Amino acid sequence: MPARKHQKKPSRSHRSTLSLQKTEILINIYDLLPPGRISTFLWHMGTSLLHSGVVINGKEYAYGGHDRRGLTGVYWTKPRTNPPGGTFRCEYLHGFTLAPQNEIDAIIREASEEFLGTGYNLLTRNCNHFTSFLCERLTGEPAPGFLNRAASIGVALPCVVPKEWIEVPDFETADGALLDEDDEGEYESERARMLRLSGDQPRLVGHEERDAADPEWDSEEERRRGGSGKGKGKAPVRDSAGRMLPPAERAPTE
């Protein structure tokens, strides 16, 4: 009687190798309202004005608006880099993807072609819509709904949405005091210089070769205000509905 041949079972090392190919998909969440009781209350109610970015392999991808036709609004920066006026709130583990790096890169390129800077809209196509799109393409699941709850309320009930949910007020110092114009200019110039030297300047996807020492604005203060009539920032940046974009929601351009 011939000996029974035993089928080979998948080796444990092979399964371990597969598990090592998983890539974490994280969401970093920032509060765009000034720190205080109101922003804390809205945060716990899940209705705060939020900015988000998707962290993949050490880069945080986000979406912002600009006025350059045909140019993506998707950019990446160092994770947990606070946007102008924003405060880091939390890191959210959204899930994992088994896609290899070349597929991940292709999905990011697809997203960058889908989300152009001129198509940005504070209520209907903002950074959180991008976050949800990219998360769903990578994991099959969209981002949590609370990220865009304030925008959803704004679409449904435009007459009752507080102005601060649409137009973010000027940001403050760490101790809550508003900056004087002179102090503000010095603070922002130093902040812009430190960003350039540290290499943390945001870069548009597909335009990483842009020289970080040649920023779009003459200063970070000018970028925050959306253009002061001097240098390259000649006019405020607006979304597709004509609303002025807060600094945190503007994409860097060449």
Side-chain angles (χ1 to χ4, degrees), residues 47-66:
T47 55
S48 189
L49 183 62
L50 304 176
H51 171 83
S52 64
V54 183
V55 181
I56 309 168
N57 292 326
K59 290 182 178 181
E60 182 171 327
Y61 296 89
Y63 172 55
H66 57 67

Side-chain angles (χ1 to χ4, degrees), residues 17 21 82 103 161 187 239:
T17 301
Q21 293 175 351
N82 283 333
E103 289 187 18
V161 175
Y187 171 82
D239 73 357

Side-chain angles (χ1 to χ4, degrees), residues 20-214:
L20 291 175
Q21 293 175 351
K22 292 194 304 184
T23 300
E24 279 187 341
I25 305 300
L26 303 168
I27 300 176
N28 280 346
I29 303 172
Y30 307 83
D31 197 331
L32 297 184
L33 294 179
R37 285 179 293 181
I38 293 178
S39 63
T40 299
F41 172 77
L42 292 175
W43 168 257
H44 289 294
M45 291 291 292
T47 55
S48 189
L49 183 62
L50 304 176
H51 171 83
S52 64
V54 183
V55 181
I56 309 168
N57 292 326
K59 290 182 178 181
E60 182 171 327
Y61 296 89
Y63 172 55
H66 57 67
D67 57 4
R68 299 277 298 278
R69 290 187 179 182
L71 188 64
T72 183
V74 177
Y75 63 93
W76 63 266
T77 187
K78 181 181 177 181
R80 297 196 184 189
T81 299
N82 283 333
T87 304
F88 176 77
R89 277 291 191 177
C90 69
E91 179 183 81
Y92 177 86
L93 176 58
H94 180 72
F96 299 87
T97 180
L98 294 175
Q101 187 60 49
N102 63 328
E103 289 187 18
I104 293 175
D105 293 340
I107 290 172
I108 293 173
R109 284 196 301 270
E110 174 194 345
S112 70
E113 294 169 0
E114 176 76 16
F115 286 81
L116 300 181
T118 52
Y120 188 97
N121 186 291
L122 283 168
L123 295 181
T124 61
R125 194 173 181 79
N126 59 38
C127 62
N128 300 316
H129 291 100
F130 165 77
T131 292
S132 191
F133 176 90
L134 187 56
C135 285
E136 187 164 15
R137 291 288 286 110
L138 289 167
T139 69
E141 295 292 335
F146 73 86
L147 285 180
N148 245 345
R149 191 166 293 155
S152 299
I153 296 173
V155 172
L157 302 170
C159 295
V160 300
V161 175
K163 179 181 178 182
E164 289 78 11
W165 285 12
I166 304 301
E167 297 180 10
V168 183
D170 289 345
F171 60 88
E172 304 170 342
T173 59
D175 58 5
L178 286 172
L179 290 169
D180 294 332
E181 286 191 6
D182 293 340
D183 295 338
E184 187 177 2
E186 294 177 4
Y187 171 82
E188 294 301 335
S189 296
E190 178 65 14
R191 181 175 183 271
R193 186 184 70 82
M194 293 176 64
L195 278 174
R196 290 196 295 273
L197 292 177
S198 66
D200 292 346
Q201 195 82 3
R203 307 291 183 87
L204 285 178
V205 170
H207 296 258
E208 285 82 356
E209 70 282 359
R210 179 173 65 90
D211 187 358
D214 182 24

